[in-house]
Amino acid sequence: CGGQPAKAPAGGGAAGPDATELGGREIIWGVDNAYPPFSYLDDESNGIGFDYDLAAEVCERANCVPIFKEFSWEGVFEAAQAGEFDINMGGCTVTMERAKIIDYSDPIYEYGQIVLTRADDTEITSEEALLASDAKIGTQAGTSNEITAISRFGEDRVVLFETFEMPVVALLSGDVDAVVIDEVAAVGFMGENPGQMKIAVKLTGG
């Protein structure tokens, strides 16, 4: 009390050794390559997107080597708990149930959920119009999008798909009429399929 402030250890700060210096260690980054703009494949099947770019930047600063390992969304939390990868950065809703088995960082972005339709659709213009219609609604199983779709529109209306991009494929082929999806991912898919889809309804903020 009243003395001079303690000097931080050289190179490490008050917490000890520098946590941002990983000594060239390999870090396994889990990706699903089906979630533009975060992780997806280009025309030559190379992994690209925000997750890849951020991993490269993090390892540039922290002196590590990113090793990308593909996982499907189904089972990704169990794989994390089992130590099959070190980090997964794909958009993931924070829930208490998931927090029991994985560690979250502080959120780095926040986004809402929307209803995606084909660009030429003129009937689905609001949540009320979608409720009043007999439209089939696609979304990915095991996600917060599934929870939102079923709670808003009823389980009998919702068609579940195993992977994130399949509801969008089904929308484009006419197998479903709308998709409940993360807004930022919807923009990514619209960029990959210009002029074919539009955001018809915003369901949650972000």
Side-chain angles (χ1 to χ4, degrees):
C1 294
Q4 295 297 316
K7 291 184 179 180
D18 189 349
T20 65
E21 169 54 60
L22 299 179
R25 173 187 164 190
E26 290 185 349
I27 302 293
I28 301 175
W29 302 76
V31 292
D32 69 1
N33 289 330
Y35 191 36
F38 296 101
S39 64
Y40 58 108
L41 301 177
D42 65 14
D43 293 338
E44 298 178 354
S45 297
N46 298 310
I48 58 173
F50 177 84
D51 291 357
Y52 285 91
D53 294 343
L54 183 57
E57 181 66 20
V58 166
C59 278
E60 175 70 21
R61 297 186 186 197
N63 187 21
C64 58
V65 178
I67 304 296
F68 298 102
K69 189 173 181 181
E70 188 169 353
F71 291 87
S72 64
W73 177 257
E74 184 179 9
V76 72
F77 298 105
E78 291 76 13
Q81 186 182 30
E84 295 183 35
F85 58 83
D86 300 303
I87 297 174
N88 178 285
M89 294 189 303
C92 174
T93 302
V94 176
T95 70
M96 184 62 70
E97 182 179 356
R98 292 171 178 174
K100 292 177 181 178
I101 62 172
I102 62 170
D103 287 327
Y104 284 105
S105 71
D106 292 336
I108 58 174
Y109 43 78
E110 181 181 353
Y111 48 81
Q113 295 165 307
I114 58 91
V115 174
L116 189 65
T117 62
R118 289 181 291 277
D120 60 358
D121 184 281
T122 59
E123 296 183 6
I124 302 172
T125 57
S126 65
E127 185 173 347
E128 292 73 22
L130 181 53
L131 274 167
S133 74
D134 59 358
K136 292 182 180 179
I137 303 162
T139 198
Q140 186 184 13
T143 64
S144 55
N145 292 328
E146 176 191 359
I147 295 169
T148 297
I150 290 174
S151 66
R152 297 290 185 97
F153 306 110
E155 190 170 4
D156 58 326
R157 302 274 303 281
V158 176
V159 182
L160 298 178
F161 296 85
E162 290 186 6
T163 60
F164 196 80
E165 80 283 6
M166 287 310 298
V168 177
V169 173
L171 176 66
L172 291 173
S173 67
D175 293 329
V176 299
D177 306 295
V179 172
V180 172
I181 190 172
D182 307 331
E183 183 172 14
V184 69
V187 172
F189 282 119
M190 290 165 64
E192 291 293 297
N193 302 275
Q196 298 187 57
M197 295 177 288
K198 65 182 179 182
I199 294 174
V201 183
K202 291 194 175 186
L203 297 174
T204 63

